[in-house]
Amino acid sequence: ECTYFTMKEIKRLYKRFMELSLLYYSPTELKKMSRPTLPPHIIATMAELKVNPFADRIIHVFSDDVNGCMTFEGFLNMFSVFNEQAPRDVKAFYAFRIYDFDGDQYLEHGDLLRTLERITRRSLKDEEAELIITKVLEEAEMDDDMKISFMEFEHVLSRAPDFLSTFHIRV
Amino acid sequence: MSLKFRHFKEDTRKLFASAKLWDYHLKQVEGNFGSGVHSYFTFLRGLFLLSIPSFILSFSFISIPQLLDPPARNHPEVKFTGEELITGANWFTETIMYYGYYTNGTIQTIPGSVYKMPLAYLLATAGYFLLCLLWLVKSTATSFRKNYIEAKEDESDFISKVFCAWDFGITSDDASKLQHTMISTELKEILAEKRRHKESRSSAKKCKVFLYRLVTWMLYLGITGGCMALVYFVNKELLNKIKIWGNIGYQISLALIISAINLVMPIFINLMTHWEDYKYPRHEMYIAVFRNFLLKLGMLAVICAFWTDGNLKSTHTNQTASCWETDLGQEIYRLVIIDFLFTIIFATFCAEFIRKLLTKCIPSLKLAEFSIVNNVMDLIYGQTLCWIGIYFSPLLSLIIIVKYFLVFYIKKVSVMQNCRMSTQRWRAAQSQTLFNAFLLLSFLLCAAFLCVVVFLETPSYDCGPYRGLNRSYDAIIIEFQRLASDESSYWFAVIMNVISSVWFLYSIVVVLSTAVVLVRSRSIGYRKFAKALREQIALEGQDKALLLQWL
């Protein structure tokens, strides 16, 4: 109901979900399960997520239980947020949770450092990374607490026009 | 049986669902080359879909009725040879391909119905232009609203680099490795720049740069003027030779010259703009694109002005049947075909394919990057030609549809095989707005030209749906007068009188201007409000820090 997909696309996604399930479960097991869940390492084999450095964070954010297993609703939700029709605030909300590695509703030094490492594959020197993190905090900060809350993050993204086009997976 | 029918219905619906055409190909391109090249192919698909209603409108309302009642040909002895496909002349001249063939009377093959060709011709073209206008305004407005954010001029803002740099649509390994390198290089560059404390230019350097720019603008205007004059003189010289049927060499020479200029001049213009040493590479790109665009439009304008010039049109004392609309239509047709051939041969085959072969011999030479900006501007130029030509050659839309179809597949194959991913990050948002704006601009210019042709120019005396009239628009006026005098359509005449009166238009203009002023003042108010709120947040943050200190 709340996705940005058409009926046809939802059916196509369901087919892909079923194909992935068959990699993990046997067909008889699958028939018995009413709501199959997929473990994260199976979802990470999808072509769209395989080369993404944030694949594990994405799966974690959209998964339904502590182990990181995802039902079909979570699967659908994940791709509908990355759909090009999803509005900016929805994408910003989930982007914040993806970049928030320790899950404390703030993007602090540690979260930013790990984000940087992921996107540059550790090719930056330590002092360069520190400098970048300081600059980011300077630019985003509005209330001087050295961490980025969701409000500040959303405000900052409203000034970055490319966010909508890069935060987009075509499925 | 019914299951098969349902499958068939689903398949046809899948084929015609407009946003889903070529989806698989687009995904492949995006996965391997990122969102920049993907936006080029989406733009191409949009233009392709826009041409389809054009063809349906013109073919069903203009061409099919004429086919039911073909007029007699003036030159029945000319037969079809293969060269018409390139020159568009000879046998094609007196077919439904061009304006000159259409009758100015009514078609009454189906008993009881009266189908007025002049009205149909004008209204179908007007309908298509209205459709294009609506679509273009809507797409420009949405992209402007979504993407035009008052970004800081200083391009090095870290937030957007850190959080928006990774293109989530990439699916290939090589592309992702390249992205990692790209992002880390960019970040390092920005840090180095900040460390260098970029010095502002001294006034002596500013003077030098100003002189350079003056010189290059003069040079550019000189080149453009020269090309336009060249086109004019060549056209004038070849005027008589073009009209001789069968003279293929002379007929295509003008189109060859124009396409050659379009191929070679942009290289010089880009170099010139590079020498001007702009502070931001983005500005350099905008200016180069604008200059190239202006050059192409300038040459087109010369051709259009040449053929609509009063001296060349036949008067009713001149015996040789001379149909300037058909001639202009043929010129546009030749331009379209030759431009297509040049794109395929030079831009795709030579630049990309042969370069790939050369990379095997010369190890230091790398594969070509797919130049998104140049290719999009080529598309816009092609679409401009189509808009100008659609009035003079109703079947041009079919040619354009076939052209776009072929271009899509050829370009896609070429990109996948011969190009490598660009090393510069593609700022999708601003470029999308820019391309939409250029498309809208060229559409408005074409529409203005056609308004001049319809409302001001005298049509040819002995060919076309408006022969014998003073202006093409007179056909509509005659129809209105007929409706006004006819008893049964009295109310229609009254309404049309009101709408076309000056006071009605004046009041519409006043209402729209007031609406614009109101909306603008509201937006200024919102901006001030947002600024005040931002200051308030900063103050609250300081208060919070102070309170924490006291505890």
Side-chain angles (χ1 to χ4, degrees), chain A residues 8-9 48 51-53 82 99 112 118-119 121 123 131 135 139-140 142-143 156 158 161-162 165-166 168-170, chain B residues 14 20 23 27 30 38 146-147 149 158-159 162-164 166 168-170 173 180 184 188 191 427-429 534 538 541:
Chain A
K8 195 177 58 162
E9 287 165 328
E48 288 89 350
V51 295
N52 199 319
F82 281 109
Y99 293 134
L112 294 174
R118 291 278 182 111
I119 58 176
R121 270 208 197 150
S123 62
L131 199 51
K135 287 270 186 263
E139 280 178 17
M142 286 197 286
D143 52 3
V156 142
S158 70
D162 299 325
S165 53
T166 52
H168 157 59
I169 295 183
R170 179 178 280 267
Chain B
K14 257 187 250 182
K20 302 303 170 209
D23 222 13
K27 185 173 170 201
E30 184 178 15
H38 169 79
K146 225 179 7 174
N147 299 326
I149 299 184
F158 283 94
I159 307 253
V162 171
F163 290 125
C164 309
W166 182 264
F168 278 67
I170 299 235
D173 245 344
H180 284 297
S184 33
K188 284 188 190 163
L191 281 180
R427 305 287 295 266
R534 217 174 293 148

Short mmCIF file of all heavy atoms in Angstrom, two decimals, chain A residues 8-9 48 51-53 82 99 112 118-119 121 123 131 135 139-140 142-143 156 158 161-162 165-166 168-170, chain B residues 14 20 23 27 30 38 146-147 149 158-159 162-164 166 168-170 173 180 184 188 191 427-429 534 538 541:
data_model
loop_
_atom_site.label_atom_id
_atom_site.label_comp_id
_atom_site.label_asym_id
_atom_site.label_seq_id
_atom_site.Cartn_x
_atom_site.Cartn_y
_atom_site.Cartn_z
N LYS A 8 2.70 -4.68 -11.10
CA LYS A 8 3.57 -5.53 -11.91
C LYS A 8 4.97 -5.59 -11.31
O LYS A 8 5.60 -6.64 -11.24
CB LYS A 8 3.62 -4.91 -13.32
CG LYS A 8 4.18 -5.82 -14.36
CD LYS A 8 4.11 -5.16 -15.71
CE LYS A 8 4.88 -3.86 -15.71
NZ LYS A 8 5.23 -3.34 -16.97
N GLU A 9 5.45 -4.42 -10.84
CA GLU A 9 6.79 -4.40 -10.27
C GLU A 9 6.85 -5.17 -8.97
O GLU A 9 7.85 -5.83 -8.66
CB GLU A 9 7.23 -2.96 -10.05
CG GLU A 9 7.55 -2.26 -11.34
CD GLU A 9 7.63 -0.76 -11.15
OE1 GLU A 9 6.91 -0.24 -10.29
OE2 GLU A 9 8.41 -0.14 -11.85
N GLU A 48 22.38 -5.90 -7.27
CA GLU A 48 22.33 -4.48 -6.95
C GLU A 48 23.09 -4.14 -5.69
O GLU A 48 23.54 -3.02 -5.50
CB GLU A 48 20.87 -4.03 -6.76
CG GLU A 48 20.08 -3.96 -8.04
CD GLU A 48 19.44 -5.29 -8.35
OE1 GLU A 48 19.79 -6.27 -7.67
OE2 GLU A 48 18.61 -5.36 -9.26
N VAL A 51 28.17 -4.86 -4.95
CA VAL A 51 29.36 -4.01 -4.92
C VAL A 51 29.15 -2.79 -4.04
O VAL A 51 29.99 -1.90 -4.02
CB VAL A 51 29.75 -3.56 -6.33
CG1 VAL A 51 30.15 -4.74 -7.15
CG2 VAL A 51 28.60 -2.83 -6.98
N ASN A 52 28.03 -2.72 -3.36
CA ASN A 52 27.75 -1.54 -2.57
C ASN A 52 28.47 -1.62 -1.23
O ASN A 52 28.33 -2.61 -0.50
CB ASN A 52 26.23 -1.48 -2.34
CG ASN A 52 25.79 -0.10 -1.93
OD1 ASN A 52 26.45 0.56 -1.15
ND2 ASN A 52 24.67 0.31 -2.46
N PRO A 53 29.24 -0.60 -0.87
CA PRO A 53 29.98 -0.70 0.40
C PRO A 53 29.07 -0.63 1.62
O PRO A 53 29.50 -0.98 2.72
CB PRO A 53 30.92 0.50 0.35
CG PRO A 53 30.30 1.44 -0.60
CD PRO A 53 29.54 0.62 -1.59
N PHE A 82 14.51 3.12 -2.24
CA PHE A 82 15.52 3.48 -3.23
C PHE A 82 14.93 3.79 -4.59
O PHE A 82 15.65 4.13 -5.52
CB PHE A 82 16.54 2.35 -3.38
CG PHE A 82 17.56 2.32 -2.28
CD1 PHE A 82 17.53 1.31 -1.34
CD2 PHE A 82 18.51 3.29 -2.18
CE1 PHE A 82 18.46 1.28 -0.32
CE2 PHE A 82 19.44 3.28 -1.17
CZ PHE A 82 19.41 2.27 -0.24
N TYR A 99 23.72 5.46 7.71
CA TYR A 99 25.04 5.99 8.06
C TYR A 99 25.29 5.98 9.57
O TYR A 99 26.41 6.18 10.02
CB TYR A 99 25.19 7.44 7.55
CG TYR A 99 25.22 7.56 6.05
CD1 TYR A 99 24.48 8.52 5.40
CD2 TYR A 99 26.01 6.71 5.27
CE1 TYR A 99 24.51 8.64 4.03
CE2 TYR A 99 26.04 6.83 3.90
CZ TYR A 99 25.29 7.80 3.28
OH TYR A 99 25.32 7.92 1.94
N LEU A 112 30.99 8.92 11.27
CA LEU A 112 31.51 9.60 10.07
C LEU A 112 32.80 8.96 9.60
O LEU A 112 33.04 8.80 8.40
CB LEU A 112 31.73 11.08 10.36
CG LEU A 112 30.46 11.88 10.64
CD1 LEU A 112 30.81 13.28 11.07
CD2 LEU A 112 29.60 11.93 9.40
N ARG A 118 34.37 3.46 4.40
CA ARG A 118 33.66 2.61 3.46
C ARG A 118 33.71 3.17 2.05
O ARG A 118 33.90 2.44 1.09
CB ARG A 118 32.18 2.50 3.88
CG ARG A 118 31.91 1.75 5.12
CD ARG A 118 31.88 0.27 4.88
NE ARG A 118 31.57 -0.44 6.10
CZ ARG A 118 30.44 -1.09 6.31
NH1 ARG A 118 29.52 -1.09 5.38
NH2 ARG A 118 30.24 -1.71 7.44
N ILE A 119 33.50 4.50 1.93
CA ILE A 119 33.42 4.99 0.55
C ILE A 119 34.78 5.15 -0.10
O ILE A 119 34.89 5.16 -1.31
CB ILE A 119 32.63 6.30 0.40
CG1 ILE A 119 33.21 7.43 1.24
CG2 ILE A 119 31.18 6.10 0.70
CD1 ILE A 119 32.48 8.71 1.01
N ARG A 121 37.44 3.17 0.71
CA ARG A 121 38.16 1.91 0.91
C ARG A 121 39.50 2.13 1.58
O ARG A 121 40.52 1.64 1.14
CB ARG A 121 38.36 1.19 -0.44
CG ARG A 121 37.24 0.27 -0.75
CD ARG A 121 37.67 -0.86 -1.61
NE ARG A 121 36.50 -1.48 -2.20
CZ ARG A 121 36.48 -2.08 -3.36
NH1 ARG A 121 37.55 -2.12 -4.09
NH2 ARG A 121 35.37 -2.62 -3.80
N SER A 123 41.62 4.48 1.66
CA SER A 123 42.79 5.01 0.96
C SER A 123 43.18 6.39 1.44
O SER A 123 44.13 6.98 0.96
CB SER A 123 42.53 5.04 -0.55
OG SER A 123 41.46 5.89 -0.81
N LEU A 131 40.57 15.70 9.15
CA LEU A 131 40.28 17.04 8.65
C LEU A 131 38.91 17.08 7.99
O LEU A 131 38.10 17.99 8.21
CB LEU A 131 41.37 17.43 7.65
CG LEU A 131 41.53 18.92 7.34
CD1 LEU A 131 41.65 19.68 8.62
CD2 LEU A 131 42.75 19.12 6.48
N LYS A 135 35.59 19.25 9.04
CA LYS A 135 34.90 20.16 8.12
C LYS A 135 33.41 19.81 8.00
O LYS A 135 32.56 20.68 7.97
CB LYS A 135 35.54 20.08 6.72
CG LYS A 135 36.88 20.73 6.63
CD LYS A 135 36.69 22.18 6.24
CE LYS A 135 38.04 22.82 6.01
NZ LYS A 135 38.55 23.54 7.11
N GLU A 139 30.25 22.20 8.89
CA GLU A 139 29.23 22.63 7.94
C GLU A 139 27.84 22.26 8.38
O GLU A 139 26.88 22.96 8.13
CB GLU A 139 29.50 21.99 6.57
CG GLU A 139 30.56 22.69 5.79
CD GLU A 139 30.81 21.99 4.48
OE1 GLU A 139 29.95 21.19 4.09
OE2 GLU A 139 31.85 22.23 3.88
N ALA A 140 27.72 21.08 9.02
CA ALA A 140 26.37 20.62 9.33
C ALA A 140 25.86 21.16 10.63
O ALA A 140 24.66 21.23 10.85
CB ALA A 140 26.34 19.10 9.38
N MET A 142 24.47 23.03 13.74
CA MET A 142 23.73 24.25 14.02
C MET A 142 23.65 24.54 15.50
O MET A 142 23.41 25.66 15.90
CB MET A 142 22.31 24.14 13.46
CG MET A 142 22.32 24.27 11.96
SD MET A 142 20.71 24.62 11.32
CE MET A 142 19.92 23.06 11.50
N ASP A 143 23.83 23.49 16.32
CA ASP A 143 23.70 23.76 17.75
C ASP A 143 24.92 23.35 18.55
O ASP A 143 24.84 23.15 19.75
CB ASP A 143 22.45 23.06 18.31
CG ASP A 143 22.44 21.59 17.94
OD1 ASP A 143 23.42 21.14 17.31
OD2 ASP A 143 21.48 20.90 18.28
N VAL A 156 20.77 19.63 5.92
CA VAL A 156 21.97 19.68 5.08
C VAL A 156 21.71 19.04 3.73
O VAL A 156 22.16 19.51 2.69
CB VAL A 156 23.11 18.96 5.84
CG1 VAL A 156 23.98 18.19 4.92
CG2 VAL A 156 23.93 19.95 6.62
N SER A 158 18.99 18.98 2.17
CA SER A 158 18.14 19.81 1.31
C SER A 158 18.98 20.77 0.49
O SER A 158 18.51 21.31 -0.49
CB SER A 158 17.14 20.58 2.15
OG SER A 158 17.81 21.58 2.89
N PRO A 161 21.71 18.99 -4.05
CA PRO A 161 20.72 18.57 -5.06
C PRO A 161 20.97 17.21 -5.66
O PRO A 161 20.06 16.64 -6.25
CB PRO A 161 20.85 19.66 -6.13
CG PRO A 161 22.17 20.27 -5.90
CD PRO A 161 22.52 20.11 -4.48
N ASP A 162 22.17 16.64 -5.49
CA ASP A 162 22.43 15.36 -6.15
C ASP A 162 21.95 14.19 -5.34
O ASP A 162 22.01 13.06 -5.80
CB ASP A 162 23.93 15.16 -6.37
CG ASP A 162 24.48 16.24 -7.26
OD1 ASP A 162 23.73 16.64 -8.17
OD2 ASP A 162 25.61 16.66 -7.05
N SER A 165 19.45 11.76 -6.90
CA SER A 165 19.83 10.91 -8.02
C SER A 165 20.86 9.87 -7.64
O SER A 165 20.91 8.80 -8.24
CB SER A 165 20.38 11.77 -9.17
OG SER A 165 21.39 12.59 -8.70
N THR A 166 21.68 10.10 -6.60
CA THR A 166 22.64 9.07 -6.24
C THR A 166 22.02 8.03 -5.31
O THR A 166 22.42 6.87 -5.32
CB THR A 166 23.88 9.65 -5.55
OG1 THR A 166 23.45 10.47 -4.48
CG2 THR A 166 24.72 10.45 -6.51
N HIS A 168 19.68 6.02 -5.27
CA HIS A 168 18.64 5.45 -6.13
C HIS A 168 19.14 4.14 -6.71
O HIS A 168 20.21 4.09 -7.29
CB HIS A 168 18.34 6.47 -7.22
CG HIS A 168 17.75 5.89 -8.45
ND1 HIS A 168 16.59 5.20 -8.48
CD2 HIS A 168 18.17 5.93 -9.73
CE1 HIS A 168 16.32 4.84 -9.70
NE2 HIS A 168 17.26 5.26 -10.49
N ILE A 169 18.39 3.07 -6.47
CA ILE A 169 18.74 1.77 -7.06
C ILE A 169 17.62 1.39 -8.00
O ILE A 169 16.46 1.36 -7.61
CB ILE A 169 18.88 0.69 -5.96
CG1 ILE A 169 20.05 1.02 -5.05
CG2 ILE A 169 19.13 -0.65 -6.62
CD1 ILE A 169 20.29 -0.02 -4.00
N ARG A 170 17.98 1.09 -9.19
CA ARG A 170 16.97 0.68 -10.17
C ARG A 170 16.89 -0.85 -10.12
O ARG A 170 17.88 -1.53 -10.29
CB ARG A 170 17.39 1.15 -11.56
CG ARG A 170 16.46 0.77 -12.63
CD ARG A 170 16.96 1.33 -13.93
NE ARG A 170 16.62 2.74 -14.05
CZ ARG A 170 15.52 3.17 -14.65
NH1 ARG A 170 14.68 2.32 -15.15
NH2 ARG A 170 15.28 4.44 -14.73
N LYS B 14 2.68 -4.17 -21.54
CA LYS B 14 4.06 -4.00 -21.10
C LYS B 14 4.83 -3.20 -22.13
O LYS B 14 5.64 -2.36 -21.82
CB LYS B 14 4.73 -5.38 -20.95
CG LYS B 14 4.85 -5.84 -19.51
CD LYS B 14 5.66 -7.12 -19.42
CE LYS B 14 4.76 -8.25 -19.02
NZ LYS B 14 5.43 -9.53 -18.86
N LYS B 20 8.26 2.25 -19.15
CA LYS B 20 8.98 0.99 -18.98
C LYS B 20 9.68 0.52 -20.25
O LYS B 20 10.28 -0.54 -20.28
CB LYS B 20 8.01 -0.12 -18.54
CG LYS B 20 7.30 0.18 -17.27
CD LYS B 20 8.26 0.45 -16.15
CE LYS B 20 7.55 0.99 -14.93
NZ LYS B 20 8.36 1.85 -14.12
N ASP B 23 13.66 -0.68 -20.43
CA ASP B 23 14.07 -0.63 -19.04
C ASP B 23 15.34 -1.44 -18.79
O ASP B 23 16.24 -1.00 -18.09
CB ASP B 23 12.94 -1.21 -18.17
CG ASP B 23 12.74 -0.40 -16.93
OD1 ASP B 23 13.28 0.72 -16.85
OD2 ASP B 23 12.06 -0.88 -16.03
N LYS B 27 18.95 -0.11 -17.34
CA LYS B 27 19.53 -0.60 -16.10
C LYS B 27 20.96 -1.07 -16.32
O LYS B 27 21.85 -0.81 -15.51
CB LYS B 27 18.67 -1.76 -15.57
CG LYS B 27 19.15 -2.21 -14.24
CD LYS B 27 18.23 -3.24 -13.63
CE LYS B 27 18.94 -3.82 -12.42
NZ LYS B 27 18.46 -5.08 -12.03
N GLU B 30 23.14 1.99 -16.56
CA GLU B 30 23.34 2.64 -15.27
C GLU B 30 24.28 1.83 -14.40
O GLU B 30 25.12 2.39 -13.69
CB GLU B 30 22.01 2.84 -14.56
CG GLU B 30 22.19 3.60 -13.27
CD GLU B 30 20.89 3.85 -12.57
OE1 GLU B 30 19.89 3.21 -12.92
OE2 GLU B 30 20.89 4.69 -11.67
N HIS B 38 23.32 7.29 -17.93
CA HIS B 38 21.93 6.85 -17.83
C HIS B 38 20.98 7.99 -18.14
O HIS B 38 19.95 7.80 -18.80
CB HIS B 38 21.72 6.30 -16.42
CG HIS B 38 20.31 6.05 -16.05
ND1 HIS B 38 19.62 4.95 -16.46
CD2 HIS B 38 19.46 6.76 -15.31
CE1 HIS B 38 18.40 4.99 -15.98
NE2 HIS B 38 18.28 6.07 -15.27
N LYS B 146 12.68 20.36 -8.32
CA LYS B 146 13.31 19.32 -7.54
C LYS B 146 14.79 19.60 -7.33
O LYS B 146 15.36 19.29 -6.31
CB LYS B 146 13.16 17.98 -8.30
CG LYS B 146 12.75 16.88 -7.41
CD LYS B 146 12.54 15.51 -8.03
CE LYS B 146 12.89 15.21 -9.42
NZ LYS B 146 12.72 13.79 -9.73
N ASN B 147 15.42 20.16 -8.33
CA ASN B 147 16.88 20.16 -8.33
C ASN B 147 17.53 21.51 -8.14
O ASN B 147 18.70 21.57 -7.79
CB ASN B 147 17.38 19.61 -9.67
CG ASN B 147 16.92 18.20 -9.87
OD1 ASN B 147 16.82 17.46 -8.91
ND2 ASN B 147 16.63 17.84 -11.07
N ILE B 149 18.53 24.06 -6.21
CA ILE B 149 18.59 24.52 -4.82
C ILE B 149 19.72 25.54 -4.80
O ILE B 149 20.71 25.38 -5.49
CB ILE B 149 18.88 23.33 -3.90
CG1 ILE B 149 17.73 22.37 -4.09
CG2 ILE B 149 19.06 23.75 -2.49
CD1 ILE B 149 17.76 21.19 -3.23
N PHE B 158 31.79 19.69 1.77
CA PHE B 158 32.15 18.32 2.13
C PHE B 158 30.96 17.42 2.32
O PHE B 158 31.03 16.23 2.09
CB PHE B 158 32.99 18.34 3.42
CG PHE B 158 34.39 18.75 3.18
CD1 PHE B 158 34.78 20.06 3.32
CD2 PHE B 158 35.33 17.83 2.77
CE1 PHE B 158 36.08 20.45 3.08
CE2 PHE B 158 36.63 18.21 2.51
CZ PHE B 158 37.00 19.52 2.67
N ILE B 159 29.89 18.00 2.83
CA ILE B 159 28.73 17.16 3.14
C ILE B 159 28.28 16.41 1.91
O ILE B 159 28.09 15.20 1.95
CB ILE B 159 27.56 18.03 3.63
CG1 ILE B 159 27.99 18.91 4.76
CG2 ILE B 159 26.39 17.17 3.91
CD1 ILE B 159 27.47 18.48 6.05
N VAL B 162 30.61 13.66 1.00
CA VAL B 162 30.65 12.46 1.83
C VAL B 162 29.35 11.67 1.71
O VAL B 162 29.36 10.46 1.52
CB VAL B 162 30.89 12.84 3.31
CG1 VAL B 162 30.73 11.64 4.20
CG2 VAL B 162 32.29 13.41 3.46
N PHE B 163 28.22 12.37 1.80
CA PHE B 163 26.98 11.62 1.88
C PHE B 163 26.32 11.34 0.55
O PHE B 163 25.53 10.45 0.44
CB PHE B 163 25.97 12.37 2.77
CG PHE B 163 26.36 12.38 4.21
CD1 PHE B 163 26.49 13.56 4.91
CD2 PHE B 163 26.62 11.20 4.88
CE1 PHE B 163 26.86 13.57 6.23
CE2 PHE B 163 27.00 11.19 6.20
CZ PHE B 163 27.11 12.38 6.88
N CYS B 164 26.61 12.15 -0.47
CA CYS B 164 25.92 11.95 -1.74
C CYS B 164 26.87 11.47 -2.83
O CYS B 164 26.49 11.43 -3.98
CB CYS B 164 25.28 13.25 -2.21
SG CYS B 164 24.30 14.01 -0.97
N TRP B 166 28.47 8.48 -3.20
CA TRP B 166 28.39 7.11 -3.70
C TRP B 166 27.12 6.92 -4.52
O TRP B 166 26.03 7.12 -4.04
CB TRP B 166 28.41 6.12 -2.54
CG TRP B 166 28.37 4.75 -3.08
CD1 TRP B 166 27.28 3.97 -3.25
CD2 TRP B 166 29.47 4.03 -3.62
NE1 TRP B 166 27.64 2.78 -3.84
CE2 TRP B 166 28.98 2.80 -4.07
CE3 TRP B 166 30.83 4.30 -3.75
CZ2 TRP B 166 29.79 1.84 -4.65
CZ3 TRP B 166 31.64 3.34 -4.33
CH2 TRP B 166 31.11 2.13 -4.77
N PHE B 168 24.46 4.82 -5.71
CA PHE B 168 23.95 3.51 -5.30
C PHE B 168 23.50 2.65 -6.46
O PHE B 168 23.21 1.49 -6.30
CB PHE B 168 22.77 3.71 -4.33
CG PHE B 168 23.20 3.98 -2.92
CD1 PHE B 168 23.84 5.14 -2.59
CD2 PHE B 168 22.95 3.06 -1.94
CE1 PHE B 168 24.24 5.40 -1.29
CE2 PHE B 168 23.35 3.30 -0.63
CZ PHE B 168 23.99 4.47 -0.31
N GLY B 169 23.39 3.24 -7.66
CA GLY B 169 22.88 2.45 -8.77
C GLY B 169 23.92 1.59 -9.45
O GLY B 169 23.61 0.79 -10.31
N ILE B 170 25.17 1.73 -9.06
CA ILE B 170 26.24 1.01 -9.76
C ILE B 170 26.22 -0.45 -9.40
O ILE B 170 26.08 -0.81 -8.23
CB ILE B 170 27.59 1.61 -9.35
CG1 ILE B 170 27.65 3.05 -9.74
CG2 ILE B 170 28.70 0.84 -9.97
CD1 ILE B 170 28.80 3.41 -10.57
N ASP B 173 31.60 -4.42 -10.92
CA ASP B 173 32.80 -4.37 -10.09
C ASP B 173 33.77 -3.27 -10.48
O ASP B 173 34.23 -2.50 -9.65
CB ASP B 173 33.54 -5.71 -10.22
CG ASP B 173 33.55 -6.44 -8.90
OD1 ASP B 173 33.27 -5.79 -7.88
OD2 ASP B 173 33.84 -7.64 -8.90
N HIS B 180 35.34 4.31 -6.05
CA HIS B 180 36.12 4.49 -4.82
C HIS B 180 37.31 5.41 -5.06
O HIS B 180 37.56 6.35 -4.31
CB HIS B 180 36.65 3.13 -4.33
CG HIS B 180 35.60 2.30 -3.66
ND1 HIS B 180 34.96 2.66 -2.51
CD2 HIS B 180 35.09 1.10 -3.99
CE1 HIS B 180 34.10 1.73 -2.16
NE2 HIS B 180 34.15 0.77 -3.04
N SER B 184 37.92 9.21 -3.43
CA SER B 184 39.08 9.55 -2.59
C SER B 184 39.94 10.61 -3.26
O SER B 184 40.47 11.49 -2.58
CB SER B 184 39.90 8.32 -2.25
OG SER B 184 39.89 7.39 -3.27
N LYS B 188 40.81 14.25 -1.61
CA LYS B 188 42.20 14.69 -1.43
C LYS B 188 42.44 16.02 -2.11
O LYS B 188 43.11 16.91 -1.58
CB LYS B 188 43.17 13.63 -1.99
CG LYS B 188 43.32 12.44 -1.11
CD LYS B 188 44.42 11.51 -1.61
CE LYS B 188 44.34 10.21 -0.83
NZ LYS B 188 45.04 9.12 -1.43
N LEU B 191 41.02 18.86 -0.10
CA LEU B 191 41.85 19.16 1.06
C LEU B 191 43.08 19.95 0.65
O LEU B 191 43.46 20.92 1.30
CB LEU B 191 42.27 17.85 1.73
CG LEU B 191 41.22 17.21 2.61
CD1 LEU B 191 41.75 15.93 3.19
CD2 LEU B 191 40.82 18.16 3.70
N ARG B 427 27.19 15.84 -11.96
CA ARG B 427 26.22 16.55 -11.15
C ARG B 427 24.89 16.48 -11.87
O ARG B 427 24.57 17.33 -12.69
CB ARG B 427 26.66 18.02 -10.97
CG ARG B 427 28.05 18.16 -10.43
CD ARG B 427 28.13 17.80 -8.98
NE ARG B 427 27.37 18.69 -8.14
CZ ARG B 427 27.87 19.75 -7.55
NH1 ARG B 427 29.13 20.06 -7.71
NH2 ARG B 427 27.13 20.50 -6.80
N ALA B 428 24.12 15.45 -11.54
CA ALA B 428 22.93 15.16 -12.34
C ALA B 428 21.90 16.26 -12.28
O ALA B 428 21.29 16.61 -13.27
CB ALA B 428 22.30 13.86 -11.85
N ALA B 429 21.71 16.80 -11.08
CA ALA B 429 20.58 17.70 -10.90
C ALA B 429 20.68 18.94 -11.78
O ALA B 429 19.77 19.25 -12.54
CB ALA B 429 20.49 18.10 -9.44
N ARG B 534 16.34 29.71 11.23
CA ARG B 534 17.70 29.18 11.34
C ARG B 534 18.48 29.90 12.41
O ARG B 534 19.19 29.30 13.22
CB ARG B 534 18.39 29.33 9.97
CG ARG B 534 19.29 28.19 9.64
CD ARG B 534 19.83 28.31 8.24
NE ARG B 534 18.78 28.16 7.26
CZ ARG B 534 18.77 28.76 6.09
NH1 ARG B 534 19.71 29.59 5.76
NH2 ARG B 534 17.80 28.55 5.25
N ALA B 538 20.23 28.44 15.96
CA ALA B 538 21.61 28.66 16.40
C ALA B 538 21.63 29.23 17.81
O ALA B 538 22.42 28.82 18.67
CB ALA B 538 22.30 29.59 15.42
N GLY B 541 20.91 26.62 20.36
CA GLY B 541 22.07 25.76 20.58
C GLY B 541 23.05 26.40 21.54
O GLY B 541 23.58 25.75 22.46
#
